[in-house]
Amino acid sequence: MISSTNRRSVTFAIHTRDAHHSPSKRRRSSTRELADIVVAAAESSQQINKKIPNIARLRVSNIQLHGRDDDIKLLRSKLRELTKKKDGDDEDAARNHVGEMILVSGTSGTGKSALIHKGLGNHAAKSGYIFASGKFNAKLLKPLSAFSDAMTRLAKYITIENNKMGELSSGGPSMSTIIRNKIQNEFDEEDAEQLRRVLPGCAELLGLGPRRPSLFCPSSYADKVALFRSAPQLGSAKRRLRVSLTLAGKESIARMHYAVRRLLKIICSQLKGVVLLIDDLQWSDAATLDLLKSIVLDGEIPRLLIVGAYRLDEVPDHHPLAFHIRELEQMNVTITKIRIGNLSVDHAIPLVAEALGMDDDDSKVKSLAETIHKKTEGNPFFMLMFLRSLYDEKLLQYNFGVMKWTWDDDAVSSKIVTENVASVLVNKMSRLQEDTQRMLMVASCLGSNFRKSAVVEVMKNISRSEMRSSMRSVSSTAATMESSSLLSSDLTNSSAVRSFSCTAAIIRSSSESLLSSDLTNSSAERAYASSIEEFEEEGLCEVDNEECHFMHDQIQSAAFELISPDQRDSFRGRIGRILLQSLPSEELEASLFEVVSLLNCAATNITDEECDELAELNLKAGVKASENAAFDTAKVYFKAGHEVLGSRGWEGDYSTMLDLCSDGANACFLTGDFVSMNELIEEVLSKDIDTKEKYRVSEIKVKSLLTVGKANEAINAALDFRRQLGLPAPQKKAASKFTITREYIRVKKLLKGKIAEDIANLPELDDELYEMGQRMNEHLATSVYLVEPTMYPLIIFQSVTTSLKHGLNSSSSPAFARLGMLLCGPFGKPHEGLEMAKAAELILERPGMRSSTSNTIFVTQTFCYHWTSPLQDTIAPLLKGYQVGLEIGDNDRACFCLVGRMYYLFFTGRTLGSIQKELEAAANVMTQLKQEENKLKITILLSSVKKLRGLDAEASDKMLDSILASAAETRNNLSAYVNVMKLEVFVFFQQWREAVDLVQKAGDVRLFLSSTFVVVRYTFLAALTYLKAAQSSSGWKKRQMKKCAHNAMQLIRGWAKNGNVNVVHYLRILGAELAVLNGKKEKAKDSFNAAIAASRRIGFLQDRALAHELASAYFKAQGDEFWRNYHIECSRTSYQEWGCSEKVEQLYLRCKDVKE
């Protein structure tokens, strides 16, 4: 306060100084000095107000948790369990572990977020864990926003907070340095850039350096690509991006998921524990839900706890979140569900007492709490807002005489409570300063998180009259209030003090307007600062320097309600237009989703020029969302851009419309919206434009047909498009041997004199036409293999021919690998095939070929190298193919590699116990990656392994029979895998009658498993089965069985002659059994010894055991007990080492019978 003496001295100084000036100058000077006096009074009042004890202030924020003790205990128990998840505690359990998560649900205002932050977050921080959170915003369409915010806060803690501790006591690097180094060693530049796009706030942690922050999301950083505003620049940018989007699909989704999981694994492995809260999941985008599912299912991320919160009444059964929860539960994910409701009367009393700073035993407090509870039904947020409304309406006042809050029970009881808490908040906001209301209106459109600078930027560029026209109702402004009433008002009311300060600022600015036509920047800044301070003091927003966020979603909703309903879309559009015109390009790029979302609100009333600009911005936003693998969000932006242009988009320069349709169709395909996808595809195909411009939608059409099982239609579509391009395309019919041979000869002529290095050094394919043709051939190869296998060689020959004549691209490596597969298998030329496989792998070393790595490794290692190299040599490369496949997002081929590796581990005699552990882990991987058919192949092998070990034999038989029955209905190679593994079990358990029945009913297994080692193994087992059947038969049946065995042995001899080292011991075993059949005793004896020695050399443990067992049976028939016992003991030892417990038990009983 200014004392009377001081006021008189100030007045005297003014009069004395003014005596030397003219009357007009004296008036201006007097007005300015008057403003200074009022401002000084306001500042003095504010200082006094700050000294008022807290007891005189109503507390409606940072209230303790009441009535949530059980929920807090449950949350903290999960935190304690997190500490038990240490690296290496139980490696096998960790490998097979399926994650868990916590979901907290309840209606709005029940305190879900408060429970997690105070009950779990604060405790986690005190215990040395990192707690990071992010929340979704209902009004802005930004993919992965909440998860990105949480990761940014996690990265901020690591890079900033951790560094405050300095170096470790040992003098070593800080934890943040260790984590950063591990991350940079793990990710190459391409992967790091992808992570930066998805998680821009982690850029510094990734070693890429921070970018300018978004004005809307306080925890995001801009991408490195600048936004080009002009149409030509934007067009060129999207042209550059279109190449990368050609391959954008489920691979990009898988790649992003895997990269994020690897990042979390590195971070969490170096910390005590990490808790990530994703709030308001009811507003989540599908991309976030899929990512969270991927993280939770990954059992290799240590000490990570995912917590989600959502409004229960806004998530019906058909909501995407409800669907994901059910799916996770079906995958055996442990979900701890906490459902919180309103408070009981007993818990409402201490809440009200704490807000008032009074004793909860006070009878008046109890009475007030009961009244409030009755009116609000115990909703915590509504109770506090009701209390605040009592305070604002002077029904609740602090009496300094008795040092307590006082109220009139009858007045409180008679207060009408609306069912909508937003209405209470709107009434509260209508009593705030007009500038504060205007800023709240703007802030509500920017999201739950926003920056002060963003609000100020809009306020500077929008007039008061425009704001007033957009407001639902306008309260009296501070400028019109009489200063006397302000000076005499109760200065304990912080709102009055701020209004007083604002009035003074306006008076002074008015005086200065005599000298200047506009308000000075300093006065405007003070007005904005006053409003921001009022935000915080009234408990509406939490302000942390530049960053702000609404204290509750209901507050943001109430602020939005200040905008007139019929003006909301235009108001948001106006905000978007202001930001578009005023923000620097880098800030605009960082805030692209928010700005475009705002502009889309007012897309109906804009000029054609603005429509063109908005369509390009939607395209840019859709492309950016696609880069983040958020195709559901991308679809919305592509659709918005398409609707803005309408039919006019195909007039003149239609490049934007073409990209919107093409990229939109791709987004629809990847999100399962096939109706919209087909509409966009047909729209493009119906236009009279260059065929090459129809490539993208044609490719999407082919892929979509394959996805829904329409392989025949996919083949027709791909062949038709090749013909439209003017490229050769075979007829869709069975290819004759003559045709296949003729095309092979043509390819052979082109390859004449070329070795692998020559092929790998061919020039790069730079003709767009042939590149499109090669891509179509890749899809054709997949299709014809399912429908018309005889066409498969023709497609491969065509792709190889194009590469040889026109150059190499990413399709060339798989093409040469597949040619190698054909040469090694059906053509019987393994050495030529291996040269093609080598060429394929050399092509991978060229730049830009990484996308084909997993596919190429799968083909070369599964179909080629085993024909001349030990099968064990394929195990490590197949594991690499699996790992690289996950890194690049090629989950299909990654899982193909994993399946091949598991079967080859079995065939090479790896111990069954170790195989079972790997198979169980592989089954979890297949579940996580939604690889149903590959999971069945793993299940087939796992069931067989369990049966050999004597585990769940009956269940294993039922599983195999079930898979065999379903495979017979859907034409695929699952039946071949079942038959091979059932034959394995029959042979090892010496069930020859069942084995004969199986090989006679199975048909030509080699047709389905061509060129794989599975075919080689099956041929050996079938030949052995025929020989054993012939030994126990006579007459024509014996001759028939012997002939079948002879034919199979001829195949194996041919493979051995061509250098297949993996079949030598097969020939020795079969030779011994053939000698037994022919009665050649000495040859049989020598062949058994040779078979045992060959099995030992190749390392196939199970075949050594089998050779000993067969030899034992032979010597038993000869009456030679010594050698019989010797071989049966060796067989038992080998089976024991292999882990075939059931067989060991069988041989033990057999030995026991002999001894008795």
Side-chain angles (χ1 to χ4, degrees):
M1 295 289 290
I2 300 179
S3 66
S4 59
T5 302
N6 289 338
R7 190 181 296 113
R8 283 194 299 271
S9 62
V10 169
T11 305
F12 174 77
I14 292 172
H15 286 304
T16 303
R17 188 167 60 243
D18 287 351
H20 301 286
H21 298 290
S22 64
S24 61
K25 289 184 178 180
R26 285 199 300 271
R27 281 194 301 271
R28 287 197 296 269
S29 176
S30 176
T31 305
R32 186 183 299 110
E33 295 297 338
L34 178 61
D36 290 338
I37 293 172
V38 176
V39 169
E43 292 173 349
S44 177
S45 298
Q46 286 180 303
Q47 294 299 320
I48 294 172
N49 183 63
K50 290 179 180 178
K51 297 177 182 178
I52 294 175
N54 287 332
I55 57 172
R57 297 181 181 178
L58 185 65
R59 183 180 179 185
V60 293
S61 60
N62 295 321
I63 294 289
Q64 295 181 13
L65 296 172
H66 297 280
R68 309 298 188 202
D69 292 347
D70 292 340
D71 298 327
I72 293 172
K73 288 179 182 178
L74 180 57
L75 286 172
R76 293 181 180 177
S77 69
K78 292 297 177 181
L79 195 64
R80 287 192 294 272
E81 291 176 12
L82 195 63
T83 61
K84 300 177 183 178
K85 299 178 182 178
K86 296 181 180 180
D87 297 325
D89 281 354
D90 188 347
E91 187 176 344
D92 296 330
R95 187 186 295 115
N96 297 320
H97 172 72
V98 177
E100 59 180 290
M101 70 183 304
I102 299 173
L103 288 176
V104 180
S105 62
T107 57
S108 176
T110 51
K112 303 178 292 297
S113 302
L115 171 65
I116 300 169
H117 280 277
K118 297 176 183 178
L120 181 63
N122 294 345
H123 182 74
K126 292 178 182 177
S127 302
Y129 303 93
I130 298 180
F131 178 85
S133 64
K135 65 184 299 173
F136 285 102
N137 182 11
K139 292 182 173 61
L140 294 178
L141 187 63
K142 183 175 182 180
L144 302 167
S145 59
F147 183 80
S148 178
D149 287 353
M151 288 297 295
T152 298
R153 292 185 173 97
L154 175 60
K156 182 178 180 181
Y157 176 88
I158 294 171
T159 56
I160 298 177
E161 299 298 330
N162 221 305
N163 283 340
K164 291 180 180 178
M165 304 176 187
E167 300 296 308
L168 299 178
S169 57
S170 61
S174 65
M175 183 62 68
S176 61
T177 302
I178 294 173
I179 292 175
R180 188 182 290 108
N181 290 340
K182 284 181 174 290
I183 289 173
Q184 293 175 13
N185 291 333
E186 172 72 15
F187 297 102
D188 59 23
E189 186 177 351
E190 186 178 355
D191 287 337
E193 274 299 331
Q194 183 193 38
L195 279 173
R196 197 234 286 268
R197 288 195 298 270
V198 177
L199 307 172
C202 295
E204 189 174 350
L205 195 62
L206 294 166
L208 300 175
R211 296 290 173 181
R212 183 181 288 271
S214 163
L215 286 176
F216 297 87
C217 186
S219 36
S220 298
Y221 290 104
D223 297 341
K224 74 170 188 175
V225 182
L227 177 67
F228 297 96
R229 276 211 192 95
S230 64
Q233 289 175 318
L234 184 60
S236 63
K238 73 191 179 196
R239 298 287 178 213
R240 291 194 297 273
L241 288 167
R242 190 163 64 178
V243 176
S244 63
L245 280 177
T246 299
L247 299 177
K250 61 181 181 180
E251 293 88 356
S252 62
I253 299 173
R255 181 175 183 178
M256 183 270 284
H257 287 182
Y258 187 60
V260 172
R261 296 201 311 269
R262 287 158 61 200
L263 177 64
L264 282 171
K265 185 176 180 180
I266 292 171
I267 293 173
C268 296
S269 64
Q270 300 300 317
L271 300 172
K272 183 177 181 180
V274 175
V275 180
L276 292 182
L277 165 62
I278 311 300
D279 205 352
D280 284 326
L281 280 170
Q282 73 275 1
W283 297 324
S284 171
D285 58 314
T288 300
L289 296 178
D290 288 337
L291 176 59
L292 290 177
K293 180 171 67 176
S294 176
I295 293 170
V296 170
L297 287 171
D298 191 332
E300 296 186 0
I301 302 176
R303 300 188 290 277
L304 172 66
L305 181 61
I306 298 291
V307 184
Y310 64 95
R311 294 182 182 178
L312 186 63
D313 54 328
E314 295 184 24
V315 181
D317 288 341
H318 60 274
H319 193 281
L321 176 60
F323 172 80
H324 277 74
I325 293 173
R326 290 193 296 269
E327 190 174 25
L328 286 172
E329 289 175 332
Q330 291 169 2
M331 294 177 175
N332 298 320
V333 172
T334 301
I335 300 180
T336 301
K337 297 180 180 180
I338 299 176
R339 183 178 298 183
I340 64 175
N342 292 337
L343 298 179
S344 65
V345 175
D346 291 339
H347 293 127
I349 294 172
L351 183 146
V352 173
E354 183 183 358
L356 297 175
M358 298 174 67
D359 193 341
D360 56 8
D361 289 334
D362 191 313
S363 59
K364 284 186 65 65
V365 171
K366 288 183 179 180
S367 175
L368 177 64
E370 289 169 357
T371 301
I372 295 175
H373 182 275
K374 182 178 180 180
K375 290 180 175 293
T376 62
E377 298 182 352
N379 183 288
F381 179 72
F382 206 170
M383 288 179 67
L384 293 173
M385 289 303 100
F386 184 84
L387 266 175
R388 185 69 197 218
S389 69
L390 294 177
Y391 171 77
D392 291 337
E393 296 174 21
K394 307 297 184 182
L395 297 178
L396 177 68
Q397 294 182 320
Y398 193 81
N399 188 324
F400 281 97
V402 295
M403 298 296 287
K404 281 186 179 181
W405 290 96
T406 59
W407 60 89
D408 185 333
D409 286 331
D410 293 336
V412 172
S413 299
S414 63
K415 181 174 171 59
I416 299 175
V417 180
T418 175
E419 294 181 357
N420 185 1
V421 69
S423 300
V424 175
L425 290 167
V426 168
N427 291 333
K428 170 185 173 59
M429 292 176 185
S430 67
R431 291 189 291 270
L432 302 176
Q433 303 175 60
E434 182 181 356
D435 279 347
T436 303
Q437 293 183 55
R438 289 162 53 205
M439 293 189 78
L440 282 170
M441 288 166 57
V442 174
S444 71
C445 297
L446 301 183
S448 56
N449 296 322
F450 59 93
R451 283 181 170 266
K452 287 189 286 189
S453 55
V455 180
V456 171
E457 188 67 36
V458 175
M459 297 291 288
K460 287 178 179 178
N461 289 276
I462 191 167
S463 66
R464 285 177 175 267
S465 61
E466 191 174 356
M467 290 291 293
R468 288 194 179 104
S469 66
S470 299
M471 292 181 71
R472 172 177 283 189
S473 61
V474 182
S475 60
S476 299
T477 62
T480 60
M481 294 181 181
E482 294 183 1
S483 58
S484 60
S485 64
L486 288 169
L487 290 171
S488 63
S489 62
D490 184 359
L491 290 178
T492 64
N493 189 325
S494 59
S495 296
V497 175
R498 284 190 301 276
S499 298
F500 183 72
S501 175
C502 184
T503 303
I506 294 173
I507 292 174
R508 182 167 64 181
S509 65
S510 299
S511 69
E512 292 171 348
S513 68
L514 297 171
L515 302 174
S516 173
S517 60
D518 299 317
L519 290 172
T520 64
N521 289 334
S522 60
S523 62
E525 292 296 335
R526 282 195 297 272
Y528 297 143
S530 174
S531 295
I532 294 294
E533 184 181 349
E534 191 171 15
F535 282 4
E536 190 170 23
E537 288 293 330
E538 293 293 330
L540 301 176
C541 295
E542 185 175 29
V543 181
D544 182 11
N545 295 323
E546 174 66 10
E547 301 175 4
C548 309
H549 75 265
F550 284 102
M551 295 297 292
H552 197 276
D553 299 322
Q554 292 278 17
I555 295 175
Q556 182 189 357
S557 298
F560 189 72
E561 288 292 323
L562 292 173
I563 309 170
S564 177
D566 59 343
Q567 296 292 321
R568 285 172 187 169
D569 287 343
S570 60
F571 185 70
R572 285 186 286 179
R574 179 77 176 102
I575 293 174
R577 183 63 55 183
I578 289 171
L579 295 174
L580 177 66
Q581 294 170 349
S582 60
L583 293 182
S585 60
E586 195 171 331
E587 289 184 8
L588 184 55
E589 172 65 20
S591 308
L592 180 65
F593 293 117
E594 295 90 336
V595 172
V596 177
S597 293
L598 290 168
L599 290 170
N600 284 337
C601 293
T604 54
N605 297 316
I606 56 178
T607 65
D608 287 350
E609 183 179 352
E610 290 174 332
C611 281
D612 294 340
E613 183 182 31
L614 182 55
E616 290 174 344
L617 287 168
N618 273 288
L619 175 61
K620 177 70 175 175
V623 168
K624 188 174 181 179
S626 297
E627 287 178 338
N628 292 348
F631 291 100
D632 60 317
T633 303
K635 180 177 69 172
V636 175
Y637 285 113
F638 291 137
K639 181 180 180 181
H642 183 273
E643 291 177 349
V644 165
L645 287 180
S647 59
R648 192 176 59 83
W650 290 105
E651 301 171 2
D653 182 8
Y654 55 82
S655 59
T656 299
M657 191 63 161
L658 176 63
D659 287 342
L660 285 168
C661 289
S662 301
D663 295 338
N666 187 53
C668 290
F669 164 60
L670 293 168
T671 54
D673 186 0
F674 290 101
V675 174
S676 299
M677 176 201 72
N678 287 324
E679 290 175 354
L680 292 170
I681 289 173
E682 292 307 314
E683 181 176 345
V684 176
L685 294 180
S686 66
K687 300 301 177 183
D688 185 17
I689 57 178
D690 190 339
T691 301
K692 289 187 289 187
E693 294 182 308
K694 300 179 181 181
Y695 163 71
R696 290 220 52 219
V697 294
S698 298
E699 183 185 31
I700 295 165
K701 182 176 182 179
V702 172
K703 291 195 294 187
S704 65
L705 290 170
L706 279 171
T707 299
V708 297
K710 297 180 179 180
N712 278 304
E713 294 182 33
I715 294 171
N716 290 331
L719 291 174
D720 287 345
F721 186 75
R722 279 187 61 90
R723 294 187 187 104
Q724 291 175 30
L725 289 172
L727 299 176
Q731 295 296 318
K732 183 178 171 295
K733 63 179 182 179
S736 64
K737 289 184 179 180
F738 171 78
T739 302
I740 294 173
T741 304
R742 182 190 65 202
E743 296 304 316
Y744 167 63
I745 292 172
R746 290 176 178 174
V747 171
K748 192 172 183 179
K749 288 181 179 179
L750 292 173
L751 287 168
K752 187 176 181 181
K754 290 183 173 66
I755 60 175
E757 288 77 7
D758 297 330
I759 296 171
N761 288 323
L762 288 170
E764 183 179 350
L765 177 62
D766 60 0
D767 190 320
E768 190 180 43
L769 183 76
Y770 287 103
E771 189 166 358
M772 292 177 179
Q774 289 286 71
R775 289 281 298 157
M776 280 298 172
N777 269 348
E778 281 200 68
H779 300 306
L780 277 169
T782 303
S783 306
V784 299
Y785 189 81
L786 298 172
V787 176
E788 190 49 73
T790 58
M791 290 181 64
Y792 186 76
L794 302 183
I795 303 299
I796 302 307
F797 295 154
Q798 203 171 71
S799 296
V800 170
T801 299
T802 300
S803 296
L804 293 171
K805 287 184 176 181
H806 303 283
L808 305 176
N809 71 335
S810 59
S811 301
S812 300
S813 180
F816 280 99
R818 288 164 177 161
L819 177 59
M821 176 187 75
L822 293 174
L823 293 172
C824 288
F827 285 75
K829 299 177 182 292
H831 295 288
E832 295 180 19
L834 291 177
E835 193 68 17
M836 295 300 100
K838 182 180 178 182
E841 294 184 343
L842 288 174
I843 292 172
L844 287 179
E845 298 177 6
R846 294 170 59 124
M849 300 295 177
R850 191 166 181 247
S851 61
S852 302
T853 302
S854 187
N855 190 7
T856 301
I857 290 176
F858 164 65
V859 176
T860 57
Q861 300 298 328
T862 305
F863 298 97
C864 300
Y865 283 116
H866 69 83
W867 292 103
T868 58
S869 302
L871 187 62
Q872 293 94 325
D873 292 350
T874 67
I875 304 300
L878 284 171
L879 180 59
K880 178 185 176 183
Y882 165 69
Q883 293 169 332
V884 173
L886 292 181
E887 291 173 7
I888 63 177
D890 192 354
N891 284 354
D892 290 344
R893 272 62 174 226
C895 291
F896 290 164
C897 289
L898 184 57
V899 169
R901 179 177 183 272
M902 297 312 304
Y903 275 85
Y904 286 7
L905 279 174
F906 177 82
F907 295 144
T908 55
R910 186 70 62 91
T911 59
L912 295 179
S914 64
I915 290 178
Q916 181 175 337
K917 291 177 182 178
E918 289 203 45
L919 285 169
E920 289 169 345
N924 287 334
V925 169
M926 300 303 176
T927 299
Q928 177 183 333
L929 300 179
K930 295 184 177 180
Q931 295 283 324
E932 294 303 323
E933 185 169 330
N934 285 317
K935 182 181 178 181
L936 287 175
K937 292 175 184 176
I938 292 294
T939 302
I940 291 167
L941 182 55
L942 179 59
S943 298
S944 303
V945 168
K946 285 183 175 180
K947 188 167 184 179
L948 289 169
R949 298 190 70 200
L951 306 173
D952 301 325
E954 186 176 348
S956 297
D957 286 337
K958 289 182 178 179
M959 176 63 70
L960 292 175
D961 290 339
S962 173
I963 296 173
L964 190 61
S966 62
E969 298 175 3
T970 58
R971 184 181 176 184
N972 55 37
N973 57 8
L974 285 176
S975 58
Y977 278 96
V978 173
N979 287 324
V980 169
M981 293 314 302
K982 290 187 77 169
L983 186 57
E984 285 274 1
V985 174
F986 288 151
V987 167
F988 281 115
F989 286 129
Q990 308 286 292
Q991 296 172 313
W992 300 114
R993 182 176 297 176
E994 291 85 348
V996 171
D997 290 341
L998 187 148
V999 295
Q1000 289 180 330
K1001 294 177 181 178
D1004 191 358
V1005 171
R1006 288 185 290 271
L1007 180 65
F1008 292 96
L1009 303 172
S1010 177
S1011 301
T1012 67
F1013 189 79
V1014 183
V1015 165
V1016 176
R1017 181 71 179 179
Y1018 180 83
T1019 304
F1020 160 66
L1021 296 174
L1024 182 59
T1025 298
Y1026 286 130
L1027 286 173
K1028 297 301 287 187
Q1031 291 172 13
S1032 60
S1033 304
S1034 60
W1036 69 268
K1037 187 174 182 180
K1038 181 177 181 178
R1039 292 191 297 272
Q1040 182 187 31
M1041 294 294 103
K1042 187 175 180 180
K1043 181 180 179 180
C1044 291
H1046 174 76
N1047 292 337
M1049 289 178 68
Q1050 280 295 98
L1051 284 173
I1052 297 175
R1053 288 192 187 98
W1055 297 335
K1057 187 177 180 180
N1058 282 323
N1060 194 328
V1061 298
N1062 299 297
V1063 299
V1064 174
H1065 68 293
Y1066 290 168
L1067 281 178
R1068 298 290 183 266
I1069 293 173
L1070 295 174
E1073 289 298 329
L1074 181 61
V1076 172
L1077 177 63
N1078 293 331
K1080 298 180 179 180
K1081 298 179 182 180
E1082 286 302 318
K1083 186 174 182 179
K1085 182 178 179 180
D1086 293 341
S1087 295
F1088 277 123
N1089 289 331
I1092 293 167
S1095 299
R1096 183 178 289 108
R1097 282 195 301 272
I1098 195 65
F1100 287 18
L1101 180 58
Q1102 81 282 28
D1103 291 341
R1104 189 174 81 208
L1106 177 62
H1108 275 297
E1109 184 178 10
L1110 294 173
S1112 171
Y1114 167 72
F1115 285 110
K1116 177 183 178 181
Q1118 297 301 314
D1120 190 336
E1121 288 300 313
F1122 174 80
W1123 286 111
R1124 186 258 185 183
N1125 291 336
Y1126 167 78
H1127 283 293
I1128 200 169
E1129 189 61 33
C1130 289
S1131 176
R1132 183 183 170 195
T1133 301
S1134 297
Y1135 278 126
Q1136 181 75 50
E1137 185 180 348
W1138 188 37
C1140 190
S1141 307
E1142 187 72 6
K1143 187 65 183 179
V1144 172
E1145 181 66 20
Q1146 187 185 80
L1147 292 177
Y1148 170 77
L1149 295 175
R1150 193 180 301 172
C1151 292
K1152 184 178 179 181
D1153 291 341
V1154 170
K1155 291 178 181 178
E1156 291 176 352

